[in-house]
Every structure is written in structure tokens, then in C-alpha cells.
Amino acid sequence: VQLQASGGGLVQPGGSLRISCAASGFTLDYYAIGWFRQAPGKEREGVSCIGSSDGSTYYADSVKGRFTISRDNAKKKVYLQMNSLKPEDTAVYYCATALDRYGSSWYCRTGMDYWGKGTQVTVSS
């Protein structure tokens, strides 16, 4: 299982950014997958996750209404569209996945089995 996140960068408050995760080495269709983030001095947070079969989604309260997760199983990619970005969204964002047994919200709250390297998102003027 390999996950490669990309698309991070510097964006001004109120701006938008889309980060992507390319999956390889497994059949994405059967896996829950999502995004976690960690800011300096803070605990890791499950930001958004999406389930395998029904595509059910989970969003942390802090990003509801601003972030949208989507997946393309054919392309083996997962995306996180981030709008109305705030300085507190600044963090390293990690893509992670697990064979889907329990649904997206469970994995976002407890963590995944496989992790990729992160991509830095900085929201600053």
C-alpha cells in the first residue's frame, strides 16, 4: 500500500486549495480513505474521510461546510477541496487508508492502518 499526497502550498486566508492523494499497490474500491492533519504542538486530527461502498463521508466540525472530500476509484485518487481557508487550517495533511470494515466516521475518529507522507498547507497573509 502506497499513498502519495500532493498539492499543498501557501494560500491566503479565505482562499482555496485542493490536495490530492494517489493510491497504489491495492484496490482502492474496498478501502476507506481520508485526510488527517497535524499542526505543530497539536494532536493529529481526522479532517475528513470517505467510505468504500456507499461513499459515506465524515467531516470534523472545524471544517464542515468548507471542505469537500471525493474519491475516484478508477483513477485511484482522493481529493480534498478546501475553501474559505483559515490560519488555523495550517498543518501537515496526511492521506491514510484502511480496509473498510467500520465506516468513514469510525476511521476518522480512531485512525487508519496505512499512511502516506504529508503535504504542508500554510494559510497566511
Side-chain angles (χ1 to χ4, degrees):
V1 173
Q2 291 190 328
L3 302 167
Q4 180 65 54
S6 62
L10 173 64
V11 62
Q12 292 188 343
S16 297
L17 198 64
R18 188 179 81 156
I19 55 178
S20 302
C21 175
S24 61
F26 65 105
T27 303
L28 181 59
D29 306 48
Y30 307 117
Y31 283 69
I33 192 163
W35 294 93
F36 296 74
R37 67 185 180 187
Q38 188 163 23
K42 293 190 176 181
E43 290 189 357
R44 185 186 69 198
E45 174 188 24
V47 176
S48 182
C49 297
I50 185 167
S52 59
S53 55
D54 61 0
S56 60
T57 56
Y58 167 91
Y59 295 95
D61 287 343
S62 56
V63 306
K64 277 181 183 175
R66 300 189 297 122
F67 290 11
T68 302
I69 190 170
S70 60
R71 61 190 291 162
D72 186 331
N73 289 341
K75 294 183 178 179
K76 302 187 79 170
K77 285 196 171 181
V78 178
Y79 307 96
L80 187 67
Q81 177 68 43
M82 303 183 290
N83 299 328
S84 302
L85 282 160
K86 305 175 181 179
E88 50 263 43
D89 294 318
T90 296
V92 178
Y93 283 70
Y94 298 90
C95 179
T97 192
L99 187 64
D100 193 355
R101 295 186 176 94
Y102 307 117
S104 58
S105 61
W106 189 89
Y107 287 107
C108 247
R109 290 191 172 102
T110 62
M112 300 270 196
D113 295 328
Y114 304 98
W115 296 80
K117 293 182 180 179
T119 185
Q120 176 71 46
V121 173
T122 303
V123 184
S124 175
S125 55

